Amino acid sequence: MPPVNQTELQSLICFFQNTYLLEGLDNDMLYRLAKSAERRLCQPYEIICRRNDYAASFHFVEQGSIAAFSVDRTSFQGLARLYGPGDGFCVLDALIGDAYTSTAVAAESSSLIVFPADLFRRAMETPGCRQVLLRSLRAHLLAPQEPNRIHLSMSAEQRLAYILLLLQTGSLGMRYVRITQEDLAVTCGIARQTASRILGEWKGQSYIDTFRGKITICNPHALAAILVNSMQESK
């Protein structure tokens, strides 16, 4: 829920003043953002947003850490980055008002500050606000490469987990996706026997259930954990 008292509002304003993107904004704008913001508590491996979802919100990490994955679906190579307190993630997507280009997952118990992207985009129509924002983005993008940015080359298991989570979005948030194991293997660029073996193991662990032409995702957090753990393996 949005903040309901002055103490909480001031707490959010102080938080915004210490984030790279918002620190240069004036108090009036920070107050408006704080009035519309909500705290979101996330369990480990909870999915925050998926690639191709509409980027309706800004997300900033208050406590904990968030892993975001941006992966090419042809080569299954890409980047993973870990965001900590004060960091905003998927920021450019929300600024543009487009779909998310990354899938973000809570790497541990985390607290996020979330506010509507359209409110901030309207604020950018003010020249002063726009200039502050662009300067912050420029400084951030020109900074030396961060140690928390990891190059990924996904294994067969990680590819299956990633694609199933994306396909679940395409199914309008349903717990199942309509796809055959053969088509899933082709999409992931792996042998059908490999896909069948991994899916069988996941079925035995109650991560998924399989039917003719359909796969039910029983535990999306377990699939997300496979992605988060892939970051540790790639370090």
Side-chain angles (χ1 to χ4, degrees), residues 53-215:
D53 284 352
Y54 175 65
S57 301
F58 277 89
H59 298 83
F60 288 86
V61 184
E62 183 180 33
Q63 295 178 347
S65 56
I66 303 296
F69 301 86
S70 181
V71 179
D72 178 77
R73 285 185 57 172
T74 301
S75 66
F76 285 93
Q77 297 185 10
L79 288 173
R81 185 183 161 193
L82 199 64
Y83 294 86
D87 288 335
F89 58 93
C90 302
V91 166
L92 287 176
D93 302 327
L95 279 174
I96 295 169
D98 207 346
Y100 289 116
T101 55
S102 300
T103 296
V105 178
E108 58 183 315
S109 294
S110 301
S111 171
L112 306 179
I113 304 297
V114 183
F115 58 85
D118 60 350
L119 172 65
F120 197 58
R121 286 196 295 269
R122 288 198 302 271
M124 282 185 63
E125 296 173 5
T126 304
C129 178
R130 182 165 59 245
Q131 189 174 35
V132 167
L133 172 67
L134 291 175
R135 283 176 176 169
S136 295
L137 281 173
R138 180 180 64 185
H140 186 67
L141 293 173
L142 292 179
Q145 183 167 316
E146 303 144 90
N148 287 335
R149 186 178 296 175
I150 300 164
H151 288 273
L152 287 180
S153 183
M154 286 186 162
S155 67
E157 186 177 51
Q158 292 155 4
R159 294 181 185 196
L160 284 168
Y162 182 73
I163 289 298
L164 283 175
L165 289 173
L166 290 186
L167 290 176
Q168 186 184 23
T169 300
S171 299
L172 301 177
M174 301 294 289
R175 291 184 61 198
Y176 64 85
V177 295
R178 294 194 178 278
I179 192 169
T180 66
Q181 293 189 26
E182 183 174 357
D183 287 343
L184 181 60
V186 170
T187 301
C188 293
I190 60 178
R192 187 188 186 285
Q193 295 88 339
T194 302
S196 296
R197 175 181 57 79
I198 295 171
L199 293 174
E201 292 173 358
W202 288 353
K203 184 174 181 178
Q205 295 169 308
S206 298
Y207 293 178
I208 64 167
D209 205 354
T210 56
F211 305 90
R212 182 180 296 276
K214 184 172 75 173
I215 298 174

